């Protein structure tokens, strides 16, 4: 087997070689010529696995170390006997960490407690479910919207989008990008959506670029239809992001919400297992990320212990500053992302009794 692997994918070098002859190619150099002789592609979301890349190649399997898969032309793959697998849920807890950190910064800035905020989660799959768990543990009130799940399961746990629009102080999107069918999500948050909002909410897109209309988002902010916004996923990323959003955002980041090393390690492991299965070989062992630089969080004397603990693990303002300082480096900021560990990598000491159980539910070690 000949394997072409994105050189930027961590936790695979020295391991994927068990399944074939491997060529590592930088993300931006993965083109038709690079993949022509490959039997297997091991990629991420920036690589568009479409006819322009795949036609004329001998590729028969694509492993993408990502939750999303809209970069794969699944219809083309089905028509040309190309199997593919993504890594659903690999980065769910990472996105939850990002959303919770950003929302705690927001509530602190607004001078309100989580218990006074109703959050509408649109899309409650692996990622949206993890976000719901984290926000519930932190004390936020939740409303959940997921039409496909409501149809397939007990609808009593979900509300229609109209109720999200009417009742929520924060609306956060966690849907895939679906362009057609019964429940399309492309431009789900468009000008009409923003016009229907009743509580001037904080709006968050950490789903996929294109689920929100970025120009309509800016217009909604400037007209006062929303109080503010947090954006991690952009239309036309990486090179064509709508730059005016950077100056208006509460937090803006280069599609890194799911970029914890824990999530990367899980995504790479899931994809390696998929390659192993395709090759009819045993699964590899899991490789774990390195320890964080400061794994102990001392909350003695902290005025806001929950915020302090969460920001110690991850502070989105650092990513915001990097993107704002160099928006042209959007993809480079992703490819050279610093080590980031999730809550279970940290031990908390001197946690006030009021917060101890909350921190434990979030995954921190006490």
């Amino acid at each position: 087997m000949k394997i072409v692997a994105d050189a930027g994918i961590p936790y695979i070098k020295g391991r994927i070689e068990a399944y074939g002859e491997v060529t590592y190619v930088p993300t931006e150099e993965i083109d038709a010529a690079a993949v022509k002789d490959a039997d297997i592609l091991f990629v991420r979301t920036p690589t568009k696995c479409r006819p322009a890349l795949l036609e004329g190649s001998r590729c028969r399997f694509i492993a993408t170390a990502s939750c999303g898969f809209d970069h794969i032309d699944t219809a083309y793959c089905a028509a040309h006997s190309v199997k593919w697998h993504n890594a659903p849920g690999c980065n769910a807890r990472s996105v939850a960490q990002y959303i919770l950190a950003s929302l705690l910064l927001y509530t602190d800035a607004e001078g309100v407690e989580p218990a006074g905020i109703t959050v509408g989660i649109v899309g409650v799959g692996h990622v949206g479910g993890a976000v719901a768990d984290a926000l519930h543990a932190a004390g936020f009130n939740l409303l959940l919207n997921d039409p496909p799940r409501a149809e397939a399961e007990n609808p009593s746990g979900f509300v229609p989008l109209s109720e999200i629009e009417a009742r929520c102080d924060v609306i956060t999107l966690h849907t895939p990008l679906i362009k057609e069918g019964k429940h399309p999500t492309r431009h789900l948050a468009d000008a009409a959506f923003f016009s229907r909002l009743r509580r001037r909410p904080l709006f968050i897109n950490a789903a996929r670029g294109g689920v929100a209309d970025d120009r309509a988002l800016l217009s909604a902010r400037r007209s006062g239809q929303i109080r503010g916004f947090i954006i991690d996923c952009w239309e036309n990323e990486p090179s064509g992001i709508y730059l005016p959003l950077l100056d208006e955002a509460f937090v803006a980041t280069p599609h890194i919400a799911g970029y914890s090393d824990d999530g990367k390690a899980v995504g790479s492991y899931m994809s390696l297992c998929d390659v192993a299965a395709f090759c009819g070989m045993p699964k590899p062992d899991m490789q774990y990320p390195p320890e964080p630089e400061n794994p102990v969080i001392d909350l003695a004397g902290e005025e806001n212990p929950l915020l302090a603990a969460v920001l110690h693990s991850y502070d989105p303002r650092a990513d915001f500053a990097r993107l704002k300082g160099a928006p042209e480096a959007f993809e480079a900021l992703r490819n050279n992302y610093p080590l980031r560990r999730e809550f279970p990598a940290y031990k908390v000491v001197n946690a006030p009794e009021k917060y101890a159980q909350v921190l434990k539910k979030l995954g921190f070690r006490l």
Side-chain angles (χ1 to χ4, degrees):
M1 289 284 185
K2 290 191 175 182
I3 303 170
V4 167
D6 185 328
I9 299 176
Y11 305 109
I12 63 170
K13 291 181 180 177
R15 306 171 73 207
I16 194 173
E17 284 78 2
Y19 308 113
E21 178 187 332
V22 184
T23 301
Y24 293 98
V25 181
T27 308
E28 64 277 9
E29 296 178 18
I30 301 178
D31 57 17
V35 309
K36 187 177 186 300
D37 296 325
D39 301 292
I40 296 171
L41 298 184
F42 202 115
V43 298
R44 302 175 299 153
T45 53
T47 299
K48 310 306 177 187
C49 298
R50 294 169 184 160
L53 180 72
L54 299 173
E55 278 185 346
S57 78
R58 67 188 202 198
C59 177
R60 288 295 171 263
F61 186 76
I62 299 169
T64 181
S66 61
C67 181
F69 58 88
D70 55 271
H71 56 296
I72 299 175
D73 187 332
T74 57
Y76 176 90
C77 289
H80 292 81
S81 301
V82 179
K83 295 182 179 180
W84 61 272
H85 277 282
N86 62 325
C90 65
N91 62 354
R93 292 195 303 178
S94 177
V95 177
Q97 179 189 40
Y98 174 95
I99 295 295
L100 180 59
S102 298
L103 278 184
L104 290 177
L105 282 171
Y106 175 74
T107 55
D108 186 63
E110 293 289 310
V112 296
E113 294 293 325
I117 297 290
T118 297
V119 181
I121 299 176
V122 180
V124 197
H126 292 289
V127 174
V131 170
D133 289 343
L135 297 189
H136 177 72
F140 290 91
N141 304 300
L142 304 180
L143 292 176
L144 308 181
N145 169 262
D146 193 313
R149 283 193 61 189
E151 291 176 2
E153 304 169 20
N154 186 344
S156 63
F158 303 96
V159 301
L161 189 61
S162 58
E163 192 166 344
I164 299 283
E165 294 165 347
R167 294 179 53 193
C168 289
D169 306 295
V170 175
I171 298 174
T172 182
L173 305 183
H174 298 288
T175 71
L177 178 62
I178 301 172
K179 297 180 180 179
E180 54 190 21
K182 188 175 181 181
H183 299 293
T185 62
R186 183 180 183 276
H187 282 188
L188 182 151
D190 58 8
F193 167 87
F194 290 116
S195 73
R196 295 191 297 266
L197 303 180
R198 293 291 171 263
R199 296 184 60 83
R200 296 186 62 240
L202 177 75
F203 175 81
I204 306 173
N205 183 10
R208 306 296 292 171
V211 175
D213 180 335
D214 287 354
R215 282 165 172 74
L217 172 60
L218 183 63
S219 178
R221 174 69 179 96
R222 290 178 172 175
S223 67
Q225 291 170 326
I226 59 174
R227 192 177 306 274
F229 63 89
I230 294 167
I231 181 169
D232 181 59
C233 300
W234 308 65
E235 291 189 284
N236 304 312
E237 61 178 61
S239 59
I241 66 170
Y242 191 42
L243 292 177
L245 290 172
L246 279 173
D247 294 325
E248 305 272 348
F250 182 75
V251 170
T253 48
H255 201 157
I256 48 72
Y259 261 41
S260 72
D261 275 73
D262 304 73
K264 291 177 183 179
V266 172
S268 293
Y269 175 72
M270 292 172 70
S271 293
L272 283 170
C273 288
D274 291 331
V275 171
F278 179 74
C279 296
M281 296 177 68
K283 292 181 180 180
D285 294 328
M286 177 70 184
Q287 182 176 347
Y288 295 93
E291 288 294 308
E293 185 176 349
N294 298 300
V296 177
I297 304 173
D298 189 347
L299 295 180
E302 290 288 350
E303 184 177 341
N304 188 335
L306 179 58
L307 176 65
V310 170
L311 292 186
H312 184 102
S313 74
Y314 172 62
D315 188 338
R317 292 174 296 186
D319 286 324
F320 186 12
R322 282 189 283 267
L323 179 61
K324 202 166 185 178
E328 73 284 355
F330 189 102
E331 190 61 20
L333 291 171
R334 301 183 79 211
N335 290 339
N336 300 286
Y337 196 65
L339 177 71
R340 172 177 149 207
R341 293 298 311 273
E342 294 172 6
F343 301 143
Y346 294 89
K347 181 179 180 180
V348 175
V349 297
N350 296 314
E353 185 176 350
K354 175 182 176 182
Y355 294 95
Q357 286 306 308
V358 173
L359 294 167
K360 188 174 181 179
K361 286 179 182 178
L362 289 172
F364 288 100
R365 293 177 288 116
L366 300 181

